[in-house]
């Protein structure tokens, strides 16, 4: 029986955000950062990989790296002009070509490798060489527009991977479930009029892009109805996210009948993430992954790929990511989440949960039409 494939590469951990503290450029009142003060730091990813090795979970995985995405691969999504500007700035001293997406020297090649790892994850699953797959890399991709970087994202990793897969395999209908706490605006914009790519983003209402909610943005033209936004209230936790899956995500997948499910897996809806205000924990990510595994088994022969996106708590991201990879591989190691009991006690009250459920019910009514 084929294993879970796991793609990662140490070189993607060498991408830097130039000189930024959290995501503020240094200068004025912003003191230059300590080593890991840049929000999109490699440490959360490196520690997840370390935990996978320390726990023995690695033995259940087919681990490997991949080639960088080629120019042809990148050009399926990004205009040549954007790629040339990015490469030129990367060859010089880095910069920021968009909004809150700083990068240092050499980040172009690293971003192409990050996209290449996601590509290989899809390719391996579609070729039947793995039961499912996980890609752990940076920079992330889900905020990147075709011609503009945003929110730490320099290339649109998942769309690049989907279009490469469509060029090489018989795969048409792809569902992208984005559970990063921030809106998957890049993926949405790239597939806004595509009826064959269902994009669903669950996110904290108004968080990033700042002020964005998105329920009314449902896709355009032939893609009308194939884009769903599920804004959740700040402070929401396990109940809110799982209820949104039950009422909206799973019914949408049932209607869409995907050939492949891709998860844009940010781990920044956790209770201790510095860039959002949600209350998920490792068991929430385990449960959502199991739902996606079950949906993939029901619709598309189990074809499921999880691509890492955001997640900024160095100490806690590893436990959430480890639970996801355990679930993909169908194994349970000895690892215990040291924050789980506390996070469960900190969940919102029944009154909050009832109110959030009511709002989700209202959204579910909108989306079935
Ligand atoms: Zn995020």
């Amino acid at each position: 029986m084929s294993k879970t494939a796991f793609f990662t590469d140490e070189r993607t951990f060498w991408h830097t955000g130039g000189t930024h503290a959290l995501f503020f450029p240094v200068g004025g009142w912003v003191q230059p950062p300590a080593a890991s003060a840049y929000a999109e730091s490699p440490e959360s990813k490196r520690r997840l990989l370390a935990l996978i090795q320390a726990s023995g979970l690695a033995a259940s995985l087919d681990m490997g790296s991949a080639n960088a995405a080629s120019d042809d691969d990148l050009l399926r999504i990004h205009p040549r002009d954007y790629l040339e500007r990015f490469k030129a700035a990367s060859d010089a001293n880095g910069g920021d070509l968009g909004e809150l997406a700083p990068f240092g020297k050499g980040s172009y090649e690293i971003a192409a490798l990050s996209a290449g790892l996601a590509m290989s994850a899809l390719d391996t699953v579609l070729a039947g060489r793995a039961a499912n797959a996980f890609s752990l890399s940076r920079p992330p991709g889900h905020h990147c527009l075709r011609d503009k970087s945003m929110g730490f994202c320099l290339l649109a990793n998942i769309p690049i991977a989907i279009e490469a897969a469509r060029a090489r395999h018989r795969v048409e209908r792809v569902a992208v479930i984005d559970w990063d706490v921030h809106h998957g605006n890049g993926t949405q914009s790239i597939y806004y009029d595509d009826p064959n790519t269902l994009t669903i983003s669950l996110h904290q209402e108004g968080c990033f892009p700042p002020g964005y909610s998105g329920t009314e943005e449902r896709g355009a033209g032939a893609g009308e109805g194939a884009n769903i936004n599920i804004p959740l209230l700040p402070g929401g936790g396990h109940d809110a996210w799982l209820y949104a899956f039950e009422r909206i995500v799973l019914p949408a997948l049932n209607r869409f009948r995907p050939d492949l499910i891709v998860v844009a897996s940010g781990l920044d809806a956790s209770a201790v993430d510095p860039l959002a205000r949600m209350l998920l924990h490792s068991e929430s990510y385990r449960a959502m992954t199991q739902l996606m595994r079950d949906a993939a088994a029901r619709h598309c022969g189990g074809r499921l790929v999880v691509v890492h996106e955001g997640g900024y708590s160095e100490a806690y991201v590893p436990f959430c990511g480890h639970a996801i990879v355990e679930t993909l591989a169908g194994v349970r190691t000895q690892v215990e989440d040291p924050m789980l009991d506390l996070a469960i006690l900190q969940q919102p009250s029944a009154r909050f949960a009832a109110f959030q459920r009511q709002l989700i019910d209202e959204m579910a009514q909108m989306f079935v039409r």
Side-chain angles (χ1 to χ4, degrees):
M1 208 179 95
S2 53
K3 287 183 174 180
T4 292
F6 189 99
F7 291 91
T8 193
D9 194 303
E10 171 66 23
R11 286 173 292 171
T12 69
F13 302 155
W14 296 3
H15 155 65
T16 78
T19 309
H20 284 67
L22 197 59
F23 51 80
F24 316 128
V26 165
W29 296 104
V30 180
Q31 183 184 335
S36 66
Y38 175 53
E40 207 285 288
S41 109
E43 284 312 299
S44 56
K45 274 66 69 171
R46 209 177 248 138
R47 290 171 66 108
L48 168 54
L49 182 58
L51 184 60
I52 285 168
Q53 280 155 349
S55 70
L57 178 55
S60 302
L61 309 173
D62 268 336
M63 299 186 82
S65 184
N67 294 322
S70 70
D71 287 352
D72 286 347
D73 296 324
L74 301 179
L75 284 164
R76 290 191 192 97
I77 298 297
H78 298 288
R80 189 176 294 279
D81 166 68
Y82 172 74
L83 296 172
E84 285 175 356
R85 281 186 292 125
F86 179 14
K87 172 85 167 102
S90 165
D91 285 350
N93 281 316
D96 189 339
L97 299 175
E99 225 171 283
L100 296 181
F103 58 90
K105 192 175 171 71
S107 285
Y108 181 88
E109 285 74 20
I110 297 176
L113 178 55
S114 187
L117 290 158
M119 278 173 50
S120 285
L122 268 67
D123 188 61
T124 295
V125 167
L126 291 169
R129 292 192 299 271
N132 48 43
F134 189 101
S135 170
L136 177 67
S137 72
R138 56 190 288 281
H142 76 144
H143 293 308
C144 189
L145 312 180
R146 285 187 189 272
D147 60 354
K148 184 181 168 189
S149 53
M150 269 182 84
F152 312 136
C153 299
L154 304 174
L155 295 172
N157 298 337
I158 287 175
I160 290 165
I162 290 173
E163 295 316 309
R166 284 182 170 145
R168 286 167 205 172
H169 298 278
R170 285 159 54 90
V171 58
E172 187 178 33
R173 299 175 71 73
V174 182
V176 182
I177 311 303
D178 186 325
W179 67 46
D180 186 287
V181 78
H182 306 107
H183 177 233
N185 62 301
T187 320
Q188 166 175 300
S189 74
I190 289 164
Y191 288 120
Y192 204 60
D193 53 9
D194 180 357
N196 290 320
T197 310
L198 172 67
T199 47
I200 303 181
S201 174
L202 303 102
H203 46 266
Q204 179 187 315
E205 181 161 53
C207 190
F208 189 86
Y212 190 82
S213 174
T215 44
E216 69 292 346
E217 301 212 61
R218 304 291 320 284
E224 176 85 45
N227 185 73
I228 293 178
N229 284 307
I230 310 174
L232 299 171
L233 298 175
H238 187 92
D239 183 79
W241 288 70
L242 271 290
Y243 192 64
F245 269 76
E246 178 192 327
R247 294 286 283 123
I248 301 172
V249 177
L250 299 179
L253 286 171
N254 288 339
R255 291 193 299 274
F256 181 72
R257 299 165 170 270
D259 301 325
L260 168 71
I261 298 175
V262 182
V263 175
S265 177
L267 303 178
D268 40 14
S270 89
V272 288
D273 196 275
L275 295 190
R277 288 156 293 276
M278 289 289 189
L279 290 167
L280 296 189
H281 47 66
S282 60
E283 289 304 313
S284 316
Y285 290 104
R286 190 186 303 281
M288 294 192 297
T289 306
Q290 188 62 52
L291 289 175
M292 291 300 94
R293 256 195 80 163
D294 295 344
R298 200 156 57 242
H299 295 297
C300 45
R303 290 197 290 265
L304 171 65
V305 177
V306 178
V307 177
H308 187 82
E309 295 279 358
Y312 307 100
S313 169
E314 281 181 26
Y316 196 50
V317 158
F319 292 97
C320 297
H322 194 269
I324 291 172
V325 180
E326 279 185 332
T327 309
L328 289 175
V331 300
R332 192 72 186 247
T333 68
Q334 301 290 311
V335 168
E336 288 177 21
D337 173 355
M339 212 190 74
L340 186 58
D341 293 344
L342 182 64
I344 288 171
L345 289 171
Q346 289 176 335
Q347 291 300 302
S349 68
R351 284 183 305 156
F352 179 102
F355 181 56
Q356 175 67 89
R357 279 183 173 230
Q358 184 191 322
L359 299 181
I360 291 168
D361 286 338
E362 287 168 14
M363 282 188 258
Q365 297 290 330
M366 289 172 55
F367 296 143
V368 287
R369 280 191 283 120

